[in-house]
């Protein structure tokens, strides 16, 4: 149950993050703040819903499917973003559940999404995830393949690609990654950039992020 006595007082961490987002975007449009609620229970999420937060991010289809249908029944105007890797055998469930996918990272997934959109008569805005650090263990399209992959997704598969997403290497300055991603989005004529997490969202906003994905700064450290 939500704590009704606290209904008009947003949690302190939420207010602090929103103030930092507003300050960082002083010169431009405010980005969409995606509250990354992975690993956190509905009980932890409800105070943010009560505070007015409507965009949430999850990285696993199964976890989201267990948590969100119940919350969506109470708060029908939420938007759910898939920010983690998507296996092709979970595409059907993901298209049913999510409102936006930030992790279009390979041709087989592009094909599976195109086919599922056709079957369900529903299509979701997509971000192409780019492996800007060219890390072996990380998902994403290689920088040199981005333009070709984008053209194939939009021209051959007619996918509604809306922007680019990246997760810079943990041990590097994220700034060159944000700068590069913004340049590519501009070259391709894409309006949206999903970049910036708890540790670097202000810098991402200064480089044009339209969607920031914030977890631990809102919910505390994950177990
Ligand atoms: C977990 C996660 C985040 C949020 O990370 P924090 O550092 O907790 O803000 C953002 N993006 C992706 C893709 C994630 O998996």
């Amino acid at each position: 149950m939500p704590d009704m006595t606290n209904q008009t007082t947003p949690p302190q961490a939420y207010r602090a993050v929103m103030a930092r987002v507003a300050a960082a975007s002083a010169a431009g449009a405010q980005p969409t703040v995606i509250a990354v609620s992975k690993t956190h229970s509905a009980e932890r999420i409800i105070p943010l819903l009560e505070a007015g937060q409507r965009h949430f991010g999850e990285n696993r289809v199964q976890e989201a499917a267990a948590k969100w249908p119940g919350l969506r029944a109470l708060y029908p105007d939420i938007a759910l973003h898939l920010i983690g890797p998507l296996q092709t055998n979970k595409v059907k469930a993901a298209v049913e559940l999510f409102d936006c996918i930030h992790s279009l990272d390979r041709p087989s997934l592009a094909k599976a999404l195109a086919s599922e959109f056709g079957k369900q008569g529903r299509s979701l805005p997509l971000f192409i995830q780019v492996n800007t650090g060219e890390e072996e263990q990380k998902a994403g399209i290689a920088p040199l393949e981005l333009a070709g992959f984008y053209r194939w997704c939009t021209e051959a598969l007619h996918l509604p690609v809306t922007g680019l997403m990246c997760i810079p290497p943990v041990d590097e300055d994220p700034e060159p990654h944000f700068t590069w991603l913004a340049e590519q989005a501009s070259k391709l004529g894409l309006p949206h950039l999903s970049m910036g997490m708890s540790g670097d969202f202000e810098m991402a906003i200064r480089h044009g992020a339209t969607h920031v994905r914030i977890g631990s700064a809102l919910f505390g450290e994950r177990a």
Side-chain angles (χ1 to χ4, degrees):
M1 281 293 290
D3 177 7
M4 294 304 183
T5 59
N6 208 22
Q7 205 171 20
T8 55
T9 314
Q12 206 172 345
Y14 180 63
R15 273 186 317 209
V17 164
M18 295 312 273
R20 285 171 60 191
V21 167
S25 36
Q30 283 231 95
T32 298
V33 173
I34 299 171
V36 176
S37 50
K38 63 187 185 197
T39 78
H40 299 295
S41 66
E43 231 164 52
R44 302 285 314 282
I45 297 170
I46 284 171
L48 262 67
L49 285 160
E50 287 293 308
Q53 175 65 24
R54 286 299 177 266
H55 290 264
F56 290 86
E58 291 282 345
N59 67 338
R60 305 179 67 141
V61 177
Q62 253 171 321
E63 183 188 341
K67 227 155 61 181
W68 281 97
L71 288 168
R72 206 195 277 273
L74 298 170
Y75 302 90
D77 58 339
I78 60 144
L80 206 52
H81 299 254
L82 179 63
I83 61 170
L86 177 55
Q87 294 167 253
T88 44
N89 64 358
K90 300 221 170 80
V91 163
K92 179 175 183 286
V95 173
E96 287 167 356
L97 182 65
F98 286 92
D99 301 291
C100 180
I101 294 175
H102 292 239
S103 48
L104 172 52
D105 61 1
R106 61 194 192 281
S108 60
L109 179 59
K111 280 190 197 165
L113 284 167
S115 151
E116 192 58 36
F117 288 167
K119 280 185 205 156
Q120 291 192 28
R122 164 179 169 82
S123 79
L124 311 183
L126 303 171
F127 287 82
I128 295 175
Q129 181 175 352
V130 189
N131 187 0
T132 59
E134 300 183 79
E135 295 172 280
E136 220 152 86
Q137 80 287 2
K138 198 166 271 174
I141 296 294
L144 282 172
E145 288 166 10
L146 172 60
F149 181 70
Y150 167 73
R151 274 197 302 274
W152 177 71
C153 284
T154 52
E155 290 168 18
L157 301 179
H158 306 291
L159 287 174
V161 176
T162 191
L164 303 178
M165 180 271 220
C166 75
I167 309 171
V170 284
D171 54 354
E172 278 182 34
D173 176 4
E175 190 156 29
H177 297 269
F178 295 157
T179 307
W180 184 87
L181 200 71
E183 279 171 14
Q184 302 309 308
S186 159
K187 272 190 203 163
L188 298 174
L190 286 167
H192 293 132
L193 279 169
S194 170
M195 58 189 198
M197 317 196 339
S198 290
D200 54 24
F201 66 83
E202 283 143 318
M203 180 190 285
I205 292 168
R206 287 195 296 271
H207 286 281
T210 60
H211 294 69
V212 290
R213 310 177 309 265
I214 304 181
S216 48
L218 289 169
F219 291 101
E221 291 302 320
R222 287 176 293 274

